[in-house]
Amino acid sequence: MGTLALKTLLDDRGKLLTALVGVVFAVVLVNVQGGLFVGLIRKASLLVDNGAADVWVGHRHMNNVDFPRDIPRRWVHRVRAVPGVAAAEPYIIGHSVMTLPNGGFEQVLVVGSDPATLLGNAWRVVEGRADDVRQTDGVIIDVCDADKIGHPQIGDLREIGGQRARVVARSEGILGFLVTPYIFTTIDRAAAYLHKPADKCSYFVVQLEPGADPAAVCRDIRACLPEVEACTRDEYAGWSIDYWLKRTGLGISFGASTLLGLAVGLVIVAQTLYASVLDRLSEYAALKAIGATDRQIFAILSSQAIVMAIVGSLVGLAIVLACQSFVSTPRAPIVVPWWLSFGSVTLVLVICLAAAAAPYLRIRRVDPAMVLQT
Amino acid sequence: MVKHPPPTPPAAPIVVDALSKTYGRGADATPVLRDLSFSVARGEWVFLVGPSGSGKTTLLSILGCVLSPDAGRVEVLGRDVRSLSPQAAAELRLRNIGFIFQRFHLIRGLTAQENVSVPLTLQGANQTVARRRADELLAAVGLAEHRHRNVRKLSVGQCQRVALARALVTNPDLILADEPTASLDGEHGHAAMQLLRELTTQSGATVIVVTHDPRIQSFADRVLKLENGQLCANQSPLSPNTPAPRNLGTDEIRSIGEFTPTPPEEPQNEPEPMLVVE
């Protein structure tokens, strides 16, 4: 039965090609659209995902890593005393304004980490070194945002919040969900740029001892400091993403266009299968006259649909990989996690099987006696 | 290959009693078959003849269990056609009836071997077994060397032989052929019927042939002539003056591959009519 399904499918090469275009289109669209969406939305939790902290402690109503509320720095000692905590450091994130050499200005997001541990400092440093941030007035900027702040080179000076800042290193690809560039520096300098009292900070970033249960540590921190929230890295990344998803309707926008792509793919595959069946109606009628059951006919059609889905998905995923390699940029990253590819292929498979339903119903209506009439 | 014989081997594989069939309803009702009664013995070759619209194909469809009669009783291989569910009818067709269609209806894209093995595949037979059986039949019809060729690339005569092999691959008890020689010239048509005769002699299959072709009627044991849905003749086709069919040797049959137009025949005396309409 498989041979029959496969060879009749291959015999109609033109139609097969058309159906494959539909499947490839759907797979590429879902993965590239989905990859762009994942790439974009992951920026919302960039600092959490890459900050090397196992647990984030902040204001009781914290909901987005980029919009923290101040907490007293002195509480860090109580956090350090919680069993399972290996290290806890205050961390500052806040919005300020950078004055540019041409007199212009740019909103920036200042990130300050403890100078001793540099927990939560910049990563992917491509010029200078990450620990150069300890130098006087030292800040790290990202090359991808350089155009916004007048293309500063290493050693160039800028002014942030009325304070002097000197570029000591440059990272590549640390771009947040907001359009404001990240400026990494030490915590005290960040407090100065933000005009924040020296006894305040935004978070405590916590590293756990090996084997410690993050959920249990969070629970203990909340018990010992009822005024704060403590959550694991994954939890806070999820909250930060949810913040944007719920407030912007971004998911609906991306989801709608992706569904549209799937619908177009479905229509192409269904139409092609249907046309192929119409073209071979007498052959299917002959099969029914010989004694093929409806189940066997469906098996033929569904096998063809599955082959289309698999071949189209493989070609589509290859194109997605090429897109990731050649089109993805730090500003518009295409991040295709395994579950997106797996999900899209599964979805396309289901769609192709659904597309086989229309021709199947057409064949069901075929009277096998027609082959004796012609 | 699993063969399911009918529950009780019938003495007459086909029994038709007061069969009627009408297409349409009300004012549009068109009676196609009216009060037909006949039976066919095991191993008998019966030809259905008659003008277009006389009901031959409808009768063949009913005997093939693809149509149900409106009235009367039709037993095919011991099974009452009217009482068969669509599944049971399909099962009966698949296991006990072989079809040869006028336009062959081979599956494009498949090789001759794959086309012949389709009924066995539908039966759920092992692919190796099905292909071996298909090869046997293709060899019997002289297409052993063409078994791996796509049927698109075969001539009309070769396609006819593939269709013949497909009809026989399940070793059916009943073979229904609808205008089997319509696409062939006289020599090929004769050869095809001769081949069918050779291949069914051993199995003892009953053969019903719908045909307009007077050149092959000499193969019939009996001819049923239909007119306006009624049986108007039921008799042996050979009158004393009708020449017996020329039997071709197997090698001669197998040598016939490509379709060639029939050469113009020398003018002959008008042959005796094969049937006498009462």
Side-chain angles (χ1 to χ4, degrees), chain A residues 32 68 142 165 196 218 234 236 240 263 290 320 335 372:
Chain A
V32 171
D142 196 276
K196 196 182 286 288
C218 289
D234 290 345
Y236 200 35
S240 299
I290 288 170
V320 171
V335 179
L372 292 165

Side-chain angles (χ1 to χ4, degrees), chain A residues 1 3-4 7-8 11-12 279-280 282-283 286-292 296 367-369 371-374, chain B residues 57 60-61 66 90 93-94 99 101-102 105-111 114 118 121-122 127 131 152 166 178:
Chain A
M1 203 68 74
T3 306
L4 196 157
K7 294 195 83 170
T8 49
D11 191 53
D12 295 332
D279 193 35
R280 290 176 175 271
S282 64
E283 291 174 21
L287 280 178
K288 288 181 78 170
I290 288 170
Q296 287 172 322
D367 184 355
V371 285
L372 292 165
Q373 314 288 346
T374 54
Chain B
T57 301
L60 195 73
S61 300
V66 291
R93 290 198 299 271
L94 181 59
F99 284 93
F101 306 112
Q102 182 177 346
H105 293 299
L106 299 175
I107 297 172
R108 290 164 289 159
L110 298 191
T111 63
E114 288 158 350
V118 160
T121 307
L122 293 173
Q127 201 172 41
R131 291 193 171 175
R152 281 185 191 278
R166 183 177 67 179
D178 183 23

Side-chain angles (χ1 to χ4, degrees), chain B residues 11 43 46 49 71 74 83 109-110 112 114 129 132 140 142 147 160 196-197 207 221-222 243 247 265 271:
Chain B
V46 173
V49 300
V74 177
S83 67
L110 298 191
E114 288 158 350
V129 173
R132 195 181 307 135
R147 67 185 190 276
Q160 167 67 320
L196 184 61
R197 169 76 86 191
V207 179
D221 295 324
R222 194 149 50 101
N247 289 328
E265 293 180 357

Side-chain angles (χ1 to χ4, degrees), chain A residues 17-361:
Chain A
L17 205 61
T18 310
L20 284 178
V21 166
V23 175
V24 169
F25 176 75
V27 170
V28 170
L29 196 78
V30 169
N31 280 278
V32 171
Q33 278 281 88
L36 280 168
F37 174 70
V38 172
L40 176 65
I41 206 66
R42 277 197 178 170
K43 289 180 175 180
S45 61
L46 194 70
L47 291 179
V48 183
D49 291 331
N50 296 282
D54 301 315
V55 167
W56 286 69
V57 180
H59 190 273
R60 195 169 51 188
H61 296 295
M62 69 184 197
N63 54 12
N64 184 311
V65 66
D66 291 338
F67 300 118
R69 189 128 184 241
D70 288 349
I71 54 174
R73 272 201 215 189
R74 65 178 184 280
W75 289 353
V76 73
H77 303 294
R78 294 166 72 177
V79 174
R80 284 173 182 155
V82 170
V85 172
E89 301 297 343
Y91 196 56
I92 283 181
I93 297 175
H95 291 263
S96 185
V97 175
M98 175 183 278
T99 306
L100 305 182
N102 64 1
F105 59 89
E106 182 71 31
Q107 285 278 339
V108 292
L109 200 52
V110 178
V111 179
S113 55
D114 178 73
T117 61
L118 293 181
L119 194 58
N121 190 32
W123 62 98
R124 278 190 223 145
V125 173
V126 292
E127 283 181 66
R129 294 200 324 262
D131 57 2
D132 285 345
V133 79
R134 295 186 178 116
Q135 293 176 17
T136 306
D137 302 329
V139 296
I140 301 174
I141 59 126
D142 196 276
V143 291
C144 299
D145 274 331
D147 56 329
K148 294 178 188 167
I149 52 177
H151 297 285
Q153 302 301 311
I154 302 281
D156 283 359
L157 296 174
R158 291 288 183 273
E159 195 178 279
I160 302 172
Q163 307 288 316
R164 197 164 80 147
R166 188 163 57 91
V167 175
V168 293
R170 303 209 304 174
S171 62
E172 185 173 11
I174 306 180
L175 297 173
F177 189 79
L178 301 168
V179 292
T180 46
Y182 282 120
I183 304 292
F184 289 89
T185 185
T186 56
I187 189 164
D188 290 332
R189 204 171 302 127
Y193 292 154
L194 297 168
H195 304 291
K196 196 182 286 288
D199 61 342
K200 300 287 187 188
C201 67
S202 307
Y203 299 102
F204 301 130
V205 283
V206 177
Q207 284 187 320
L208 301 181
E209 289 174 349
D213 176 16
V217 172
C218 289
R219 204 165 46 242
D220 291 345
I221 292 172
R222 282 194 296 268
C224 129
L225 278 169
E227 295 302 314
V228 301
E229 179 61 85
C231 58
T232 63
R233 174 171 45 207
D234 290 345
E235 281 175 335
Y236 200 35
W239 294 0
S240 299
I241 288 171
D242 280 353
Y243 177 89
W244 291 112
L245 280 182
K246 287 175 180 167
R247 295 182 185 217
T248 61
L250 203 60
I252 296 169
S253 160
F254 269 88
S257 54
T258 304
L259 283 177
L260 192 68
L262 279 175
V264 171
L266 167 70
V267 169
I268 293 176
V269 173
Q271 197 275 337
T272 308
L273 272 176
Y274 198 78
S276 175
V277 160
L278 285 185
D279 193 35
R280 290 176 175 271
L281 211 53
S282 64
E283 291 174 21
Y284 282 108
L287 280 178
K288 288 181 78 170
I290 288 170
T293 60
D294 286 341
R295 184 178 291 187
Q296 287 172 322
I297 299 284
F298 183 72
I300 292 169
L301 287 173
S302 54
S303 303
Q304 292 178 337
I306 288 169
V307 168
M308 282 183 194
I310 291 174
V311 175
S313 294
L314 289 176
V315 174
L317 289 177
I319 293 173
V320 171
L321 272 177
C323 286
Q324 270 190 292
S325 304
F326 301 114
V327 182
S328 181
T329 63
R331 197 170 294 285
I334 300 173
V335 179
V336 184
W338 70 267
W339 53 261
L340 180 61
S341 300
F342 181 77
S344 65
V345 171
T346 307
L347 201 59
V348 162
L349 198 60
V350 171
I351 282 174
C352 284
L353 283 174
Y360 168 67
L361 293 175

